[in-house]
Amino acid sequence: MVKKTLCIIFDGLGDRPIPQFGGQTPLEAAHTPNFDVITEKSLCGLVSTLGRGMRPGSDVSHLAIFGYPMEKYYTGRGPIEVAGLGIQLQEGDVAFRGNFGSVDENLNILDRRAGRIRVVDEFASAIDGIEIDGIRCIVKPGTAHRAGVVLRGGGLSAAVSDADPHAEGLPVSEVAPLDDSAEAARTARVVNEFMRASHRILDAMEANKARKAAGQFPANFLLLRGAGVYPSMPKFNDKYGLKSCCIVGGGLYKGIGAFLGMDLIPVEGATALPDTDVEAKFKKSIEMLDTYNFVFCHVKATDSLAEDGDAEGKKAFIEKADRAAALLANLPDDVLLIVTADHSTACELKAHSAAPVPVLFCNPSVRVDSVAAFSERAFAQGGFGYAEGKDIMPQVMNLMGKLHLIGA
Ligand code: ZN
């Protein structure tokens, strides 16, 4: 009987046939003896996370896999990224992504990333907690030039435009309401006032004077974009009656975990880059099954390598992950192992594609099919058939004996 689930999601794992691999995908061409053994003991299928013909972003495809349809719960990337920075979001909060950039005295943008500044902690804390018209503006530093901003206080709307014009030499855009509501007008006014007030504080900071004196771009403006309201939604643990955690490297994926209320478990060497320590992540995931009955482990580099068009790199990284997968070959009988992806990322396109991705369920309680190779093409013959992201959690709940009976 399944008591625990380890769900491994390889970002952008699926791909198109690659001419230099004789028409095989990177996953087909990769030597994956460990995943092949796991596949032989699994129920396999193909999944279009958002449905056929939909080309998924990573955020909405993960939400779909975990049973949160985008129509109901996705209000933009702001709330998800901000959740990953350790801000406990509340219903009605409006969250933004932010960049620390450099402006001149006329608020013309000199550099959108303050010369790719590496650490912005002191700048973020200098403008954290400003109050405007009863609205508290919470600022948390992200990686490099990035930050997250939450407006809290009620009566707000996410229907406002971006301040970031996405180009140098242009003035900072005045944030405007995108509908006729009083809430949107108020939010736009608060955002504009917050950005001006924070500019005055940032520009006067000694750290920025020192940057200018050294010929560096000052971090004297926080450009906001991607407004999203935090929706009222059940946490993953409450929705499924599970105790969950996540082991993830990248900021967006920390955000997805935090957004769903999963505990974030740090792993040394989890960089979200091709040099990431996949073995350490798998090891920690297995260890966490002692404490949690649902562990989500995310592996990013399959996607980033394909976005660079690097089919060889993607194949080599899959082989590296396969070596680490030796750890997964003999999990206890009460552990359900899921290996899947959020979407395909085609090296040919250097972008996400709508093609479905493999999913496998490995446990003695599943009806094993005849698929024996870990690849897109082989999985088309699998017993799970052709499914969508929303079909994955019901499968988990069914195997755990937790699905509600319909009818008598
Ligand atoms: Zn992705």
Side-chain angles (χ1 to χ4, degrees), residues 104-186:
D104 66 14
E105 60 282 2
N106 298 318
L107 302 191
N108 288 311
I109 294 175
L110 303 170
D111 191 286
R112 289 181 56 248
R113 302 183 186 91
R116 290 206 173 264
I117 189 167
R118 295 186 65 86
V119 180
V120 294
D121 292 31
E122 67 173 311
F123 303 110
S125 60
I127 56 173
D128 179 26
I130 293 175
E131 290 231 12
I132 292 162
D133 186 21
I135 299 298
R136 192 151 163 257
C137 306
I138 304 164
V139 183
K140 283 273 184 285
T143 49
H145 55 277
R146 298 180 193 90
V149 175
V150 170
L151 304 188
R152 178 170 295 163
L156 296 166
S157 163
V160 293
S161 63
D162 289 352
D164 187 347
H166 295 277
E168 267 97 37
L170 296 175
V172 172
S173 310
E174 185 84 1
V175 169
L178 298 175
D179 65 26
D180 293 335
S181 68
E183 289 80 8
R186 179 176 185 228

Side-chain angles (χ1 to χ4, degrees), residues 62 144 235:
H62 277 80
K235 297 295 182 195

Side-chain angles (χ1 to χ4, degrees), residues 9-12 56-59 61-62 252-253 298 300 303 342-343 345 352:
I9 300 183
F10 282 98
D11 212 287
S58 294
D59 43 12
S61 54
H62 277 80
L252 176 64
Y253 308 92
H298 179 263
K300 174 69 182 167
D303 173 66
D342 56 345
H343 52 78
T345 303
H352 296 189

